[in-house]
Amino acid sequence: AELKSYGLKVTTQPFVAKTPSKKFPTIPMENIIAELPGKTDDVIIVGSHYDTKYFENETFVGANDGGSSTGALLEIARVLAAMKPE
């Protein structure tokens, strides 16, 4: 929703990941892809991950090492979209 609010074309790529958990051996996930057209057909890819893991006896959601890079990508997307490249 945040990327769409910047006017970017957003698509998702769902997949199922295997986990080491006996309770949840697989978990649905998705890649989020935002596109900003430029002057040429050349492509630049900038990526990150949001690191959330399930442990049987522990809560772990969005570690700083994964979450902070995603926050940085959101800001990069906001700034580039505001520049309206031609």
Side-chain angles (χ1 to χ4, degrees):
E2 189 71 21
L3 294 166
K4 285 180 181 178
S5 78
Y6 305 153
L8 301 176
K9 177 185 172 192
V10 178
T11 56
T12 59
Q13 189 180 58
F15 64 97
V16 176
K18 294 180 182 178
T19 77
S21 169
K22 291 179 183 169
K23 187 173 182 180
F24 300 104
T26 61
I27 186 168
M29 296 185 178
E30 66 183 7
N31 293 316
I32 301 170
I33 302 160
E35 297 180 53
L36 178 64
K39 291 180 181 180
T40 70
D41 290 335
D42 293 337
V43 175
I44 298 172
I45 298 173
V46 182
S48 93
H49 73 287
Y50 180 77
D51 198 9
T52 299
K53 299 176 185 171
Y54 174 80
F55 293 104
E56 304 288 335
N57 299 312
E58 186 178 336
T59 301
F60 175 90
V61 178
N64 183 48
D65 65 333
S68 58
S69 63
T70 300
L73 277 184
L74 286 170
E75 180 61 6
I76 291 168
R78 185 191 68 77
V79 170
L80 289 175
M83 294 173 63
K84 303 207 185 309
E86 297 177 14

